[in-house]
Amino acid sequence: MSMTTPTGELDRRAWVVQVMGWAVERAARRLTGLAEHDVCLNAGGDVLLRAAPGRPAWRVGVENPGRPGELLDVLERVDGAVATSGTARRGAHIVDPYARRPAEAVRSVTVVGPELLWADVYATAAVARGADALDWLAALDGYAALLVDAAGRVRATAGWPGTRHRGRVGAGR
Amino acid sequence: MRRITLWLLSTVAALVLLFGYRTSTMGAGGGAGTFAAGTGSGGGITEVTAVQVPDGNVRDQQINGYAVPILRQQALAAQSARIDTVSGATVTSDGYRESLQAAIDAAHLG
């Protein structure tokens, strides 16, 4: 993931991605240390959660990028992180560092795994990566992903814990 | 046994938690909103409460007008699908990025 703009300046937005996952994980330590409490922390769509042994799993909805407000899938998790990057809320704001233009081949990527920082980084990097993002996501150890491309085609990596592994969503934007 | 759910409207909110700053000390644009949803024993959302919503300036109020209904909408969608939270593309704005930078500068990390 590039940390500089095409003109060579430091791209602070790239750091925002890193800082967000890092800060949320640090903040969550205060909550996960509470006895007899389960924790679900949602920072602008990126989710970190934990349920104590024997407690019911958290149910995490994955937003449909074609129709924000509706759900694409539902995951049951007892710990770890769920992070989503894409164009649904802010348009094509992630830049392909090689083509040096906004990445638009992938509309949305949701990554599930043990750490929010890396789930967030992988999801954003996959959107920037574009066409071969699913193969790249499938090779990540310990993380699984659900991808929606620009045409609305839905695909998941082998380890995706949800019920939706392929299909289509509306064209949307 | 209680379950705690927090929606952090922005990275700033996470930084506020992390460094223990009050948003009122950040000056203009240092906005962060935190919502808490209480869940009953059946797992459904029983209440949604705005714990902290900044309204210190016009920009904060504009962002609130945009973000607060989205968060409430998510809470209602969550209730109907028996889900606890929603993962989606980041809900934020240029205003929040500016606020984040202000927070980082204030923490002498920038």
Side-chain angles (χ1 to χ4, degrees):
Chain A
M1 191 161 51
S2 173
M3 289 291 181
T4 57
T5 67
T7 57
E9 298 168 352
L10 179 68
D11 186 347
R12 289 171 185 251
R13 289 170 300 183
W15 286 103
V16 168
V17 171
Q18 305 277 2
V19 167
M20 186 154 167
W22 173 81
V24 170
E25 289 213 343
R26 290 288 296 265
R29 286 181 195 170
R30 297 188 180 188
L31 297 173
T32 55
L34 293 172
E36 300 197 342
H37 284 75
D38 301 338
V39 173
C40 174
L41 194 66
N42 186 331
D46 294 340
V47 180
L48 185 152
L49 39 82
R50 197 198 67 167
R55 295 280 298 157
W58 290 101
R59 289 172 58 83
V60 181
V62 177
E63 188 180 64
N64 181 344
R67 296 176 182 274
E70 296 183 11
L71 298 179
L72 188 61
D73 204 349
V74 177
L75 308 174
E76 292 202 341
R77 311 295 291 166
V78 294
D79 61 13
V82 183
T84 299
S85 289
T87 60
R89 295 286 188 194
R90 286 186 287 159
H93 65 286
I94 297 169
V95 175
D96 178 342
Y98 297 102
R100 299 187 175 184
R101 60 174 179 259
E104 295 179 305
V106 173
R107 196 189 297 171
S108 174
V109 175
T110 299
V111 175
V112 176
E115 292 185 46
L116 181 59
L117 188 153
W118 289 108
D120 190 10
V121 167
Y122 291 148
T124 304
V127 173
R129 197 170 183 93
D132 68 343
L134 194 74
D135 292 338
W136 180 77
L137 288 162
L140 297 175
D141 191 23
Y143 291 80
L146 183 73
L147 181 148
V148 181
D149 67 17
R153 188 165 47 151
V154 180
R155 288 171 294 169
T157 63
W160 177 249
T163 57
R164 182 136 187 185
H165 293 86
R166 56 184 56 82
R168 274 190 176 278
V169 299
R173 71 177 157 180
Chain B
M1 180 83 78
R2 293 184 58 203
R3 287 164 80 94
I4 298 176
T5 304
L6 295 176
W7 276 280
L8 298 188
L9 190 54
S10 71
T11 310
V12 182
L15 289 168
V16 168
L17 276 175
L18 180 60
F19 296 109
Y21 284 134
R22 293 175 58 85
T23 52
S24 60
T25 66
M26 289 182 180
T34 306
F35 286 68
T39 58
S41 57
I45 293 173
T46 55
E47 61 185 77
V48 178
T49 310
V51 175
Q52 182 183 54
V53 176
D55 59 357
N57 57 41
V58 172
R59 182 65 179 154
D60 283 346
Q61 290 164 8
Q62 287 174 342
I63 293 170
N64 288 343
Y66 165 77
V68 172
I70 289 177
L71 289 165
R72 289 202 173 122
Q73 178 191 353
Q74 287 195 345
L76 290 173
Q79 190 166 26
S80 64
R82 286 201 310 113
I83 60 174
D84 300 303
T85 191
V86 176
S87 178
T90 307
V91 178
T92 181
S93 71
D94 288 342
Y96 276 119
R97 280 203 289 275
E98 291 162 11
S99 297
L100 172 65
Q101 195 56 55
I104 291 173
D105 290 344
H108 304 294
L109 293 176

